[in-house]
Amino acid sequence: MVGIIIATHGEFAEGILQSGEMIFGKQENVEAVTLMPSEGPDDVRAKMEKAIASFDNQDEVLFLVDLWGGTPFNQASSLMEAHQDKWAIVAGLNLAMLIEAFATRFSKESAHEIAVHILDTAKEAVKVKPEELEPADAAADTAQQVNTGAPGKFEYVLARIDSRLLHGQVATAWTKNTLPTRIIVVSDEVAKDELRKKLIQQAAPSGVKAHVVPINKMIELAKDDKHFGGQRALLLFENPHDVLKAVEGGVPLETINVGSMAHSTGKVQPNKVLAFSQADLDAFKKLKEHGLSFDVRKVPNDSRGNMDEIMRRAQSELDRQR
């Protein structure tokens, strides 16, 4: 796997690494290098050399730096002199660039390939609101829509239960992992809330259209075989009850990713991110009877949780409350 060095002035490197791992999960072969006010170029170089020595593969190294021409860039460039056929530097570090680099390491094995691939994502992440402040060409890119109207049905690349719906982990990590053309929030409640609908549509990553539809509408769309050929749908549900209604109505899901279920009064919480009421457990049991499997992960590179064991612990805690 390509090693990544994040090098910046001050503690920016450590902070953005923490943010990136919060969204995408813990990363191996990634090191933050900081240039502090009391330090000089030699200190940065020594930190970079130590970081490179810790990598499993020292032949492929990607430097993500804050400023072109700054001290972190200059020291990385000096180290790279003897490795220009393998190593690469990308300046202008932002969070979208970092997350894209994390995701791309799973499919590309060279620093040069990753450096080229992450440039567009880094540039697309720079936007302005209100949209009319954007230059005309950028506004046109933002407004571009995916093609529709081809014969066929949706391909479901992910169906996820997440009480937060469309947020950073979904808009970045899961979108990069599954490559949807559309993100569809399926909820009767959210479909009635114009503010939440607008916020969800605005949170969609570049190039992906976001929709909010009630459950019956999703059932209708799932049966349409005339307009959605080539469309890759990522479905988001707030709770298992809405998933059950959709499945019973004919939405052809095989696996449901269980990512986050918020705690509230009367629920038990057998792990850090999932809280269950008795009704929730009953809904999951019915989903299992319908043949669905459960993929318990917050982000793609998390290890999968054992849903049967989680449900068993939740049921035991609920029984003790009675």
Side-chain angles (χ1 to χ4, degrees):
M1 179 176 283
V2 174
I4 297 177
I5 291 179
I6 307 165
T8 69
H9 296 77
E11 297 177 349
F12 177 32
E14 294 175 346
I16 198 170
L17 175 57
Q18 182 185 52
S19 297
E21 290 186 331
M22 185 175 72
I23 293 171
F24 203 83
K26 185 68 177 175
Q27 297 293 302
E28 297 180 353
N29 295 300
V30 177
E31 293 290 338
V33 170
T34 59
L35 170 62
M36 303 308 292
S38 61
E39 295 177 327
D42 291 342
D43 298 297
V44 174
R45 184 185 183 92
K47 290 180 183 181
M48 288 179 173
E49 289 174 336
K50 182 179 179 181
I52 294 167
S54 73
F55 291 159
D56 295 337
N57 178 10
Q58 297 170 27
D59 292 332
E60 295 288 347
V61 178
L62 174 64
F63 295 87
L64 303 179
V65 303
D66 50 0
L67 292 174
W68 186 276
T71 297
F73 170 85
N74 291 336
Q75 293 308 305
S77 184
S78 176
L79 286 171
M80 202 181 81
E81 284 296 322
H83 304 274
Q84 295 202 30
D85 59 330
K86 293 283 189 178
W87 295 5
I89 305 171
V90 180
L93 173 65
N94 61 33
L95 186 55
M97 176 198 294
L98 180 61
I99 292 169
E100 185 72 11
F102 288 168
T104 309
R105 290 200 299 167
F106 291 101
S107 60
K108 299 185 185 299
E109 298 181 355
S110 81
H112 285 189
E113 288 181 305
I114 296 174
V116 170
H117 183 80
I118 65 178
L119 288 177
D120 285 343
T121 298
K123 294 173 183 176
E124 288 172 2
V126 181
K127 297 181 182 296
V128 64
K129 189 175 181 66
E131 289 82 356
E132 55 265 26
L133 298 179
E134 288 192 37
D137 55 345
D141 289 341
T142 302
Q144 186 176 11
Q145 304 295 320
V146 296
N147 292 329
T148 60
K153 294 185 177 183
F154 280 122
E155 175 187 356
Y156 300 97
V157 296
L158 182 74
R160 175 178 172 91
I161 295 173
D162 192 327
S163 54
R164 297 170 295 173
L165 294 172
L166 182 50
H167 58 95
Q169 290 172 348
V170 175
T172 55
W174 282 109
T175 299
K176 300 301 181 186
N177 182 262
T178 59
L179 302 177
T181 58
R182 295 173 183 266
I183 295 173
I184 306 176
V185 170
V186 185
S187 169
D188 291 344
E189 293 302 315
V190 182
K192 299 173 186 176
D193 190 328
E194 291 301 322
L195 177 58
R196 291 185 72 187
K197 283 171 63 176
K198 185 174 182 180
L199 291 173
I200 286 169
Q201 290 164 351
Q202 291 176 345
S206 178
V208 182
K209 184 73 172 177
H211 310 267
V212 180
V213 300
I215 299 168
N216 285 341
K217 182 62 176 179
M218 187 64 237
I219 294 170
E220 178 185 327
L221 295 173
K223 296 175 181 178
D224 188 329
D225 60 1
K226 295 182 172 62
H227 300 101
F228 300 112
Q231 295 295 307
R232 297 166 56 84
L234 188 161
L235 306 188
L236 295 175
F237 299 87
E238 283 188 292
N239 56 66
H241 312 283
D242 288 351
V243 180
L244 182 60
K245 291 177 185 177
V247 169
E248 290 179 339
V251 179
L253 303 179
E254 298 178 355
T255 301
I256 186 75
N257 169 240
V258 186
S260 172
M261 293 173 57
H263 187 272
S264 61
T265 303
K267 290 192 175 188
V268 297
Q269 192 164 351
N271 70 9
K272 292 181 180 180
V273 295
L274 300 179
F276 300 83
S277 66
Q278 186 62 57
D280 293 332
L281 285 177
D282 292 343
F284 277 115
K285 291 172 185 176
K286 289 182 181 178
L287 286 169
K288 191 172 182 179
E289 291 172 1
H290 281 282
L292 269 75
S293 60
F294 304 118
D295 173 14
V296 185
R297 287 183 294 169
K298 286 197 303 181
V299 293
N301 60 333
D302 278 351
S303 57
R304 296 173 188 259
N306 185 324
M307 189 62 171
D308 288 336
E309 176 61 20
I310 292 170
M311 290 174 63
R312 186 195 66 75
R313 294 203 307 268
Q315 186 65 70
S316 178
E317 291 182 37
L318 285 167
D319 290 342
R320 284 198 298 268
Q321 289 183 357
R322 295 191 177 100

